[in-house]
Amino acid sequence: MKLNITALADRMIWFITLLFLVLSLTISFALGDADYGAYVLFVCLFGLILFYLIRERGIIKFRFTWMHAYMLLFIGACYLSAINAMDPAVAMSRSFDIVKIFCMLIVLYMCYQDKPTVDSLLKIGMWTGYIVCFYTVYFYGLDYFITVLSSSARIANDALNANTVGLLGANAIVMTIYYMMYDKPRWWNVIALPTLGILAATGSRKALVFVVVGIVLLFVCKSFRSSNALHSILKLVGSLAGLIVIGIMVLQLPMFEEVLTRMEDMVAAFSGTGGDSSTMIRMSLVDIGWDLFYQSPITGVGVNNPSVFTYFIFGRDNYYLHNNYIELLAGTGVIGLVTYYSMYVYLAYNMIRYHDFHSNEYVMVLILLLSQLVMDMGMVSYESKSTYFYMMLFFLEVQILRKGRKNAAK
């Protein structure tokens, strides 16, 4: 059998991308005290370049896009914020981290820019979620997880942050439901069930909300594909009724007691009738962020410098503001916030302009895009490599939609 070098190189690019994304999330605690994690990631990027050159027969096809332009503007805003930074070294270090992520994006974008679909990237995101979740179980031990679930507690943050693990698992579960709805059943679909238990152990409210809302949106979008409006409405009502019944039954399981209690505490905190310490701290962090923003509203107090201020209050290193909007507003000012979210404005505008609800991928990508914007209200995401991986996926989807619209107009 003749060996297809191009196909083999393409498969290796997919595998190395998956490995890179998983390692970017886990390598900091997987290596313990070792400090060579950056070199491992560099080797992965080098592998991507090598197999890209093999696939493209030595030809480099670099295209400068809006994604690259917006990233450069954001990098400029990060370096600009160092001017008024309380600790310029912290700001410069984080700015250089964004530069390294930009270099990562250049390599990844070249590898996937000519793909007619983002399906391979969606599967990378899904498998990353599963691998990280099950590696976290391996890190703590299965007995530990069983104890956590049986005692209505939540896992520690000794490895990856519990909320991050929960959101990765939620992403994987929603994508699995997507593939179950729009593709034939696969053996790996069953992995979503134990992952749901891992999600419960993280106690992540954001993850639970994303699973519920994500699945509902998948059914809503599929229900309205029929040209018969009455049929679509009846199908939607039936789907939602079934989801509500199943959802209530699942949430009655003892393992969800902790996350549901945390949800109740969060509602109580926002209504002023109580609340848990986690929610109260997050609310105080938002107030701190606004105070820092008022100190330097244009360029901010320095990217990543809110952690310098929170250290004096809470005595914890790298304690961010738990809100990406407030974190950027405080750290990089109006300039940084606008340059960063201008990327999402561009994406949202074009996703609406070139909308195609008959495209399965469009529906999934739109849900991921909206979820990112919503989840940013409860997490800091601008410094994560996985955030920019998904941002690249969004840009590629827009590129595919634009090409499809142009071809249809001919």
Side-chain angles (χ1 to χ4, degrees):
M1 184 174 68
K2 186 178 180 180
L3 182 63
N4 190 328
I5 298 298
T6 301
L8 177 61
D10 201 49
R11 287 182 178 274
M12 287 302 300
I13 287 173
W14 186 92
F15 175 76
I16 295 174
T17 304
L18 172 64
L19 181 64
F20 178 88
L21 204 58
V22 170
L23 290 176
S24 70
L25 291 162
T26 62
I27 203 165
S28 60
F29 63 88
L31 293 179
D33 296 329
D35 57 357
Y36 50 85
Y39 299 105
V40 175
L41 295 179
F42 176 78
V43 170
C44 290
L45 286 179
F46 181 79
L48 284 175
I49 295 172
L50 177 63
F51 283 105
Y52 170 82
L53 290 173
I54 294 173
R55 188 186 69 184
E56 303 299 331
R57 302 180 186 279
I59 300 174
I60 297 178
K61 304 174 183 177
F62 174 72
R63 299 175 193 144
F64 189 82
T65 67
W66 282 106
M67 180 189 72
H68 301 99
Y70 283 125
M71 278 294 295
L72 287 174
L73 287 174
F74 179 58
I75 289 170
C78 289
Y79 277 107
L80 183 64
S81 72
I83 295 175
N84 293 322
M86 179 178 181
D87 191 336
V90 170
M92 295 296 286
S93 176
R94 177 52 54 85
S95 298
F96 187 58
D97 288 341
I98 305 299
V99 171
K100 290 185 285 187
I101 290 175
F102 177 68
C103 295
M104 172 202 79
L105 274 183
I106 291 176
V107 175
L108 287 177
Y109 195 86
M110 286 196 307
C111 290
Y112 294 94
Q113 63 187 354
D114 292 323
K115 294 288 185 181
T117 171
V118 296
D119 182 72
S120 60
L121 292 171
L122 287 173
K123 284 190 168 73
I124 287 173
M126 181 188 69
W127 282 110
T128 295
Y130 282 137
I131 293 172
V132 171
C133 282
F134 283 96
Y135 181 79
T136 305
V137 173
Y138 169 78
F139 181 87
Y140 288 114
L142 182 59
D143 291 342
Y144 172 80
F145 264 82
I146 294 174
T147 301
V148 167
L149 290 173
S150 61
S151 61
S152 298
R154 65 184 308 214
I155 64 172
N157 294 318
D158 297 336
L160 201 59
N161 181 275
N163 284 318
T164 302
V165 175
L167 284 171
L168 289 168
N171 263 4
I173 291 171
V174 173
M175 288 188 203
T176 300
I177 299 298
Y178 158 74
Y179 282 111
M180 290 174 66
M181 291 174 62
Y182 295 106
D183 194 5
K184 62 182 179 180
R186 306 282 185 175
W187 64 266
W188 46 262
N189 294 156
V190 297
I191 303 178
L193 293 177
T195 305
L196 192 62
I198 298 172
L199 186 153
T202 66
S204 175
R205 295 171 286 205
K206 293 186 289 292
L208 180 61
V209 170
F210 176 61
V211 167
V212 173
V213 175
I215 293 175
V216 168
L217 288 177
L218 283 174
F219 276 90
V220 168
C221 291
K222 189 169 186 179
S223 298
F224 279 97
R225 287 193 168 183
S226 173
S227 57
N228 188 316
L230 179 60
H231 180 265
S232 296
I233 293 174
L234 291 175
K235 188 175 181 180
L236 176 61
V237 171
S239 298
L240 291 180
L243 287 174
I244 290 173
V245 172
I246 295 173
I248 291 175
M249 292 174 61
V250 171
L251 292 177
Q252 294 303 309
L253 296 174
M255 66 182 183
F256 285 103
E257 181 179 344
E258 170 65 15
V259 67
L260 290 177
T261 300
R262 297 186 75 237
M263 291 285 288
E264 293 173 359
D265 290 337
M266 182 182 68
V267 172
F270 282 110
S271 63
T273 59
D276 61 337
S277 60
S278 175
T279 304
M280 301 305 291
I281 289 175
R282 287 170 185 261
M283 293 174 69
S284 67
L285 287 170
V286 170
D287 292 335
I288 292 171
W290 281 114
D291 291 339
L292 294 176
F293 166 67
Y294 294 139
Q295 292 182 25
S296 182
I298 306 301
T299 60
V301 297
V303 64
N304 200 31
N305 267 242
S307 63
V308 177
F309 288 86
T310 55
Y311 177 79
F312 293 112
I313 299 174
F314 298 98
R316 296 174 60 178
D317 291 322
N318 300 316
Y319 198 51
Y320 45 86
L321 299 180
H322 288 76
N323 183 310
N324 204 58
Y325 299 95
I326 300 298
E327 178 79 20
L328 287 175
L329 197 61
T332 60
V334 173
I335 294 177
L337 182 73
V338 170
T339 54
Y340 181 82
Y341 280 103
S342 60
M343 294 186 265
Y344 286 100
V345 171
Y346 172 88
L347 291 167
Y349 169 76
N350 283 282
M351 289 290 284
I352 295 172
R353 181 182 179 185
Y354 301 112
H355 66 277
D356 183 7
F357 285 100
H358 291 285
S359 166
N360 301 337
E361 286 185 4
Y362 174 83
V363 171
M364 188 67 250
V365 172
L366 181 63
I367 291 173
L368 290 173
L369 174 61
L370 294 176
S371 70
Q372 183 66 58
L373 292 172
V374 174
M375 294 304 169
D376 274 358
M377 291 189 290
M379 59 186 287
V380 173
S381 62
Y382 80 93
E383 88 293 0
S384 172
K385 295 179 181 67
S386 60
T387 296
Y388 296 93
F389 167 83
Y390 280 105
M391 189 176 293
M392 179 193 71
L393 187 154
F394 302 150
F395 270 95
L396 287 171
E397 177 65 16
V398 166
Q399 174 181 297
I400 293 168
L401 290 169
R402 185 184 292 116
K403 285 183 178 178
R405 186 65 61 88
K406 288 181 178 179
N407 291 335
K410 291 180 179 179

